[in-house]
Amino acid sequence: MSSASLTQAREILRRTFGHAEFRGRQAEVISEILAGRSALAVLPTGGGKSVCYQIPAMMRPGLGLVISPLIALMTDQVASLLQAGVAAARIDSTGEAWERSETWARIEAGQLDLLYVSPEGLMAPAMMERLKRTPLSLIAIDEAHCVSQWGHDFRPEYRMLGRLAEIFPEVPRLAVTATADVRTREDIRTELKLHDSAEFVASFARPELALSAERKRGAGHKRVLELVEARPDRSGVIYAGSRDGTDKLAEALRGAGVPALAYHAGLDKAVRAERLEHFLASESGVMVATIAFGMGVDKPDVRYVIHADPPASIEAYWQEIGRAGRDGEPAEGITLYGASDMAWAYRRIDGREVSDEVKSVQNRKVRQLYALLDGASCRAAGVRRYFGEEGVEACGQCDLCLGTVETVDATEAAQKALSAAHRMGGRFGRGRLVEHLLGKTKDPSAFEAGLSTFGVGKEFSATGWRDLVDQLLFDGLLKEDPNDGRPLIGLGDVEGVRAVYRGERQVALRRALEDSDAMVTRPRKRGRDAVELAVGDQKLFEDLRYWRAAEAKRQHVPPYVIFSDRTLAEIALRQPRTPSTLLAVSGVGEGKLARYGAEVMAVVEKRLTATG
């Protein structure tokens, strides 16, 4: 893409969305699409994935087609775009016939920049025939991990989207997701026919998130209540593993005076919509939900996510924990787990009608999740390494970094495991590695039986060695080659392995002891570009929030689609009294200036007059 095009894209970012510069790898992704080439982008939750296709759709001729798995997600994005003055619409099962007709009329008149549809709706014959006659600027496939059977939220209908490469061969396609490990990314590229396309993977770091996990006592509901009561007047999401558990936990919270609502697929559609709208509009509401509540939630001021029951995998964990702190302000992710949860996860996988290969992968993901939860090294670093990120440092703020978990020294055992993996040449999987350490390999070759590491691992059971192997994977000391569904174990970070061999680096495993009754109070890192307010500015900030809440109620939209808390905080700090100074605030584009500028400046003027 020419520098002139990048300058134009940046100007749209400033003028429409009110941001001065692109973040992370946004500019690279946008450059690729503007050049007419397809791409895969893996950007973390809150990393601005939508901008990567919204701006090119506004710049390239034709209609930008966005495929999204959830109506709530489409609704939220379209509402935000309309607030910014972008011509966007959605077609889904909730719309009336006249609304669809009106939308198609705007498309045919060339009056629409972006159209959001579901994969099922897209593949309906009538929809596809009309789109074939419509010039398209791009096709964006949101939540692209849904196409992979190795991902955490596989949806069979996403498999159909590979046909788009043949139906629209000249249209650039962008697959975007926040959570995809190496194997899932390979599957996305294969299924969506993005073989030769560029791949952009940003850092998975979320410095605003403080992570912790603790073992359950019983069902864990009492502990959830304690955690929520310790965080009053904050918006939170609590995930439970069943509909019944969701209802009971929400009822218990309400009994304690917490404004909690339950959300799951067993509720009437209208009830779910009403509860979602209430939660999005609330500044201190708590939603107790199953995973039916997830990707479509873009509420930026969620201050904590609690897993009353653990998620299914690390991908699901990061996706769900990622609901917190999307505004860049300090937030928490707290997970309760127990041995019975892990056993239930294995039983659920065993009961699925999928291939043995898929079951094997899903079982491994369960093991890796529990190695993270019950591990002894930095949680955030473990997640980042899981997604293939290198050069990762400890976060310094999770419960493990702060030393609130007791561990045992497993360095000597780790040396044995690393040495065995090295001598076996990366040609075997973890099961064979464990058998080798225990000396229980069935019919070992003379070469294997002659290795110095054969049978040296008597200090651990097979389960103990598997736990240690998982820990070494999280520490980056071992790595797994996907190997077409039959993963092989090999050495990872060379310098790290050498440090373990020399005794310069300790490998620790969590001790099987009861955790302390109380969560440790952690120092909080500030998020991206956090704004500090003085006491006087805080009053103006509250005035602006009051105005925003009233405006959002009048329009029946979530408050954050009007302005984020961070934008209001910056307005309170700068106290703009002219359009030009208000336009300089991050998050205020020309569309919102025209729509809300006079009212915002009136709120500022009123507060300044009142304070003299």
Side-chain angles (χ1 to χ4, degrees):
M1 185 178 70
S2 69
S3 59
S5 296
L6 183 57
T7 300
Q8 183 185 357
R10 189 177 289 109
E11 180 61 19
I12 292 175
L13 179 73
R14 185 199 64 77
R15 192 175 67 244
T16 304
F17 299 101
H19 302 299
E21 190 52 83
F22 291 114
R23 290 191 284 119
R25 308 199 69 176
Q26 286 176 328
E28 297 172 83
V29 179
I30 289 171
S31 297
E32 196 73 5
I33 300 303
L34 287 178
R37 297 187 290 267
S38 297
L40 166 61
V42 184
L43 308 179
T45 299
K49 297 184 295 297
S50 57
V51 166
C52 294
Y53 52 80
Q54 289 169 351
I55 288 181
M58 296 167 67
M59 293 178 65
R60 288 175 57 86
L63 174 71
L65 180 66
V66 183
I67 302 155
S68 178
L70 294 174
I71 291 174
L73 184 59
M74 291 191 277
T75 302
D76 207 47
Q77 289 209 6
V78 170
S80 295
L81 288 168
L82 294 176
Q83 289 286 328
V86 179
R90 61 185 171 88
I91 294 179
D92 58 56
S93 59
T94 66
E96 301 290 341
W98 66 267
E99 291 176 308
R100 289 192 290 273
S101 297
E102 186 177 274
T103 297
W104 279 113
R106 294 177 65 198
I107 292 171
E108 291 165 1
Q111 298 172 350
L112 211 59
D113 287 321
L114 286 142
L115 175 68
Y116 286 72
V117 299
S118 67
E120 301 92 337
L122 172 68
M123 289 304 174
M127 170 76 80
M128 188 57 69
E129 285 304 312
R130 297 191 79 158
L131 286 173
K132 286 178 181 178
R133 301 193 298 268
T134 302
L136 298 180
S137 58
L138 59 84
I139 299 173
I141 301 168
D142 204 0
E143 308 295 350
H145 59 271
C146 293
V147 78
S148 174
Q149 63 180 331
W150 313 123
H152 70 283
D153 193 25
F154 173 54
R155 303 192 179 202
E157 60 270 19
Y158 257 63
R159 293 283 190 173
M160 301 182 294
L161 300 181
R163 295 171 49 201
L164 297 174
E166 302 163 2
I167 299 172
F168 303 100
E170 304 301 319
V171 180
R173 290 166 296 122
L174 174 62
V176 294
T177 178
T179 48
D181 61 7
V182 173
R183 185 172 190 177
T184 300
R185 296 201 294 270
E186 291 177 356
D187 207 25
I188 291 172
R189 294 170 71 90
T190 298
E191 291 299 325
L192 297 182
K193 297 179 173 57
L194 296 170
H195 306 285
D196 300 321
S197 301
E199 180 173 305
F200 302 92
V201 182
S203 172
F204 287 83
R206 292 289 305 277
E208 63 275 16
L209 277 179
L211 306 177
S212 62
E214 56 180 90
R215 294 173 189 165
K216 284 184 181 179
R217 295 177 180 85
H221 286 191
K222 179 181 177 183
R223 183 61 179 139
V224 172
L225 185 57
E226 292 172 351
L227 292 168
V228 174
E229 288 181 325
R231 292 156 177 78
D233 303 320
R234 300 187 204 175
S235 184
V237 175
I238 302 169
Y239 284 104
S242 68
R243 298 176 185 180
D244 183 61
T246 299
D247 288 330
K248 288 180 178 177
L249 188 49
E251 184 179 356
L253 288 166
R254 286 195 300 272
V258 177
L261 296 171
Y263 186 104
H264 55 74
L267 295 171
D268 181 78
K269 185 185 296 185
V271 173
R272 291 202 306 271
E274 180 184 350
R275 292 184 178 182
L276 177 59
E277 182 178 352
H278 179 83
F279 174 71
L280 295 178
S282 172
E283 294 176 353
S284 60
V286 174
M287 186 70 90
V288 186
T290 61
I291 58 171
F293 180 87
M295 288 186 293
V297 182
D298 205 22
K299 184 175 170 65
D301 59 347
V302 173
R303 298 272 64 87
Y304 61 84
V305 169
I306 298 173
H307 278 98
D309 299 304
S313 65
I314 292 176
E315 289 96 334
Y317 172 76
W318 209 233
Q319 181 91 32
E320 292 161 16
I321 288 289
R323 299 302 107 200
R326 292 174 67 90
D327 55 3
E329 293 298 306
E332 295 176 277
I334 305 165
T335 305
L336 307 183
Y337 67 97
S340 60
D341 295 313
M342 185 168 64
W344 178 80
Y346 286 136
R347 288 196 302 271
R348 184 179 61 176
I349 291 169
D350 188 56
R352 288 176 177 161
E353 295 183 1
V354 295
S355 69
D356 289 341
E357 184 182 14
V358 171
K359 287 182 178 181
S360 175
V361 170
Q362 291 177 344
N363 280 326
R364 185 171 73 253
K365 288 179 181 290
V366 170
R367 288 195 299 271
Q368 290 172 319
L369 171 70
Y370 284 88
L372 175 70
L373 296 177
D374 204 48
S377 60
C378 175
R379 299 189 190 283
V383 171
R384 293 169 66 185
R385 290 192 188 101
Y386 175 85
F387 288 117
E389 195 169 341
E390 299 178 353
V392 175
E393 296 181 357
C395 72
Q397 65 176 357
C398 71
D399 54 347
L400 297 173
C401 283
L402 294 177
T404 62
V405 175
E406 294 186 66
T407 59
V408 293
D409 186 356
T411 305
E412 185 177 340
Q415 291 169 341
K416 294 178 181 180
L418 294 171
S419 181
H422 173 66
R423 283 170 168 74
M424 295 174 76
R427 293 178 289 115
F428 301 98
R430 74 176 66 202
R432 181 65 174 274
L433 177 61
V434 169
E435 290 175 351
H436 174 87
L437 287 163
L438 293 171
K440 294 183 177 180
T441 303
K442 185 177 181 180
D443 300 325
S445 65
F447 167 77
E448 182 179 351
L451 294 176
S452 61
T453 51
F454 188 75
V456 298
K458 304 300 184 184
E459 67 267 47
F460 285 163
S461 65
T463 299
W465 280 114
R466 283 194 292 269
D467 290 343
L468 180 57
V469 168
D470 282 335
Q471 191 65 56
L472 293 173
L473 285 167
F474 275 108
D475 288 343
L477 299 169
L478 289 177
K479 65 180 180 180
E480 256 183 339
D481 178 354
N483 188 38
D484 294 327
R486 297 181 181 276
L488 306 178
I489 293 286
L491 293 183
D493 175 32
V494 176
E495 290 303 317
V497 170
R498 287 174 179 165
V500 173
Y501 282 155
R502 293 193 293 259
E504 298 169 357
R505 174 172 173 174
Q506 184 187 54
V507 176
L509 282 175
R510 189 180 189 133
R511 292 182 65 184
L513 298 174
E514 289 299 313
D515 295 304
S516 61
D517 288 334
M519 296 288 289
V520 174
T521 301
R522 290 180 288 274
R524 300 293 180 79
K525 291 185 178 180
R526 301 296 289 170
R528 304 179 297 267
D529 308 320
V531 179
E532 297 284 354
L533 294 176
V535 174
D537 298 335
Q538 185 68 35
K539 292 180 180 179
L540 175 53
F541 175 64
E542 294 302 330
D543 291 346
L544 290 165
R545 279 162 60 97
Y546 181 82
W547 163 80
R548 182 186 63 179
E551 183 62 25
K553 185 176 182 180
R554 185 183 69 82
Q555 295 186 44
H556 299 287
V557 297
Y560 57 81
V561 305
I562 295 176
F563 286 121
S564 69
D565 272 0
R566 186 186 301 171
T567 296
L568 294 187
E570 190 173 338
I571 292 172
L573 185 67
R574 295 193 180 201
Q575 300 176 359
R577 302 169 87 169
T578 65
S580 60
T581 52
L582 180 56
L583 191 60
V585 173
S586 178
V588 181
E590 292 180 357
K592 290 191 177 182
L593 176 68
R595 191 167 188 172
Y596 303 120
E599 294 180 49
V600 168
M601 287 185 289
V603 173
V604 173
E605 186 68 36
K606 184 176 180 181
R607 170 54 60 182
L608 295 181
T609 301
T611 56

